[in-house]
Amino acid sequence: MIDTHAHLDGEEFADDLSAVVERARAAGVQQVFLPNINAASMPRIRQLCTGYPDFFRPMIGLHPEDVNPQTTDIAATLAAMEDDLRRNVGTPSAYIAVGEVGLDFYWDDTYRDEQLKAFETQVEWAIRYDLPLMIHTRSAHAELVDVMERNRHHHLRGVFHCFTGTAEEAERLLTFDNFVLGIGGVLTFKKSTLPDVLRDSVPLSRIVLETDAPYMAPVPHRGQRNESAYVAAVAQKLADIYGLTLQQVDEQTTANVRRVFRQA
């Protein structure tokens, strides 16, 4: 299994990261992809990927919630991120995706224009460096689709991270042929409508596993700190939904990751 999205660089894991990694390996997790979210996260993610080069893989991006001109020099941060991205191309420490990027108007859309501009800049990176996108979107489905449509001819690829939407939203997002949906712990929640959405509208060939640790731990760990080992609970729920074995889900979702991220 591959956990395509986890924030294991956070302070929540400062005291027991090695144990978190060992539990993940014991659960069958082969790799964990780490998204950058701002300038402050970059050194720690680089440190983790150096310390666990076969296990952690880095992404680079400015999270939409950090696109705030009151707290961030957006232009300077984006320039520094692209410079680091460029300098590492072709090296063992190369970034494997542009992420975590996107649009989030859930709490506040004050900086809607700034978010859109930053997202479009980072979409340009994906095109320029031939990398997949790890896209976060919340309360911005229409705006996201608009940006994607304007770039459809570039044949972008990537993950719509933390998908929890409707069948109609899933079907619309999957018109972008080289994209998959990132599915995490919400799938296991008692009142979640996601199992029906996936069963009726999304083939397993368009799904990758994720935890978004430390957030949204799956049942039976709900309410606890999430960690990469718990991605196995998401995989088991997918197996139940599609009537497959856990091994079949593991094999298919891993193949999906290899296809999108162009890994051997």
Side-chain angles (χ1 to χ4, degrees):
M1 287 175 286
I2 297 175
D3 181 359
T4 61
H5 196 116
H7 300 275
L8 300 188
D9 58 298
E11 293 181 359
E12 297 89 347
F13 302 99
D15 295 332
D16 66 340
L17 180 67
S18 61
V20 168
V21 170
E22 289 308 309
R23 285 193 292 270
R25 292 188 193 276
V29 178
Q30 299 167 294
Q31 284 187 315
V32 177
F33 297 170
L34 304 177
N36 270 295
I37 59 171
N38 53 34
S41 69
M42 292 171 64
R44 177 59 174 162
I45 286 181
R46 181 60 64 199
Q47 179 185 28
L48 294 186
C49 292
T50 300
Y52 297 87
D54 297 324
F55 190 71
F56 290 135
R57 300 301 304 277
M59 296 180 264
I60 186 75
L62 183 61
H63 192 286
E65 290 185 336
D66 283 274
V67 180
N68 182 335
Q70 300 299 314
T71 59
T72 303
D73 185 333
I74 299 168
T77 299
L78 290 173
M81 284 183 166
E82 187 184 5
D83 182 61
D84 199 44
L85 169 59
R86 183 190 308 108
R87 286 188 292 104
N88 282 283
V89 168
T91 72
S93 57
Y95 291 103
I96 62 166
V98 175
E100 176 178 1
V101 303
L103 303 169
D104 191 326
F105 306 143
Y106 183 74
W107 295 112
D108 187 359
D109 67 353
T110 301
Y111 302 115
R112 174 185 294 261
D113 291 344
E114 288 85 351
Q115 283 195 33
L116 283 163
K117 183 177 179 181
F119 180 42
E120 290 174 344
T121 294
Q122 293 172 101
V123 168
E124 290 172 5
W125 298 354
I127 297 166
R128 186 175 304 131
Y129 300 101
D130 191 23
L131 289 172
L133 287 157
M134 179 65 69
I135 299 178
H136 168 114
T137 181
R138 189 162 57 161
S139 299
H141 176 78
E143 292 86 351
L144 169 67
V145 168
D146 181 59
V147 173
M148 297 299 294
E149 283 291 354
R150 285 190 277 106
N151 288 280
R152 186 183 282 276
H153 63 288
H154 289 297
H155 305 292
L156 293 164
R157 67 190 196 276
V159 180
F160 294 114
H161 157 60
C162 196
F163 178 79
T164 58
T166 65
E168 292 75 19
E169 288 172 337
E171 290 166 2
R172 186 71 182 88
L173 293 177
L174 293 182
T175 67
F176 300 101
D177 294 338
N178 301 315
F179 277 80
V180 293
L181 306 182
I183 302 298
V186 171
L187 180 69
T188 69
F189 294 177
K190 184 176 181 180
K191 295 183 179 180
S192 175
T193 60
L194 196 52
D196 290 336
V197 170
L198 298 187
R199 185 184 297 111
D200 296 341
S201 304
V202 182
L204 187 61
S205 61
R206 303 297 297 277
I207 289 173
V208 296
L209 303 172
E210 62 176 38
T211 59
D212 204 19
Y215 314 110
M216 296 186 297
V219 174
H221 309 287
R222 191 173 183 184
Q224 303 172 24
R225 179 194 69 175
N226 201 1
E227 59 180 78
S228 289
Y230 299 165
V231 78
V234 179
Q236 183 59 61
K237 183 66 175 181
L238 287 171
D240 297 342
I241 290 169
Y242 289 102
L244 300 171
T245 66
L246 182 60
Q247 181 178 351
Q248 287 173 313
V249 169
D250 182 358
E251 291 174 352
Q252 181 64 67
T253 55
T254 298
N256 300 342
V257 174
R258 302 301 186 202
R259 182 180 72 248
V260 172
F261 289 83
R262 296 184 180 170
Q263 295 183 332

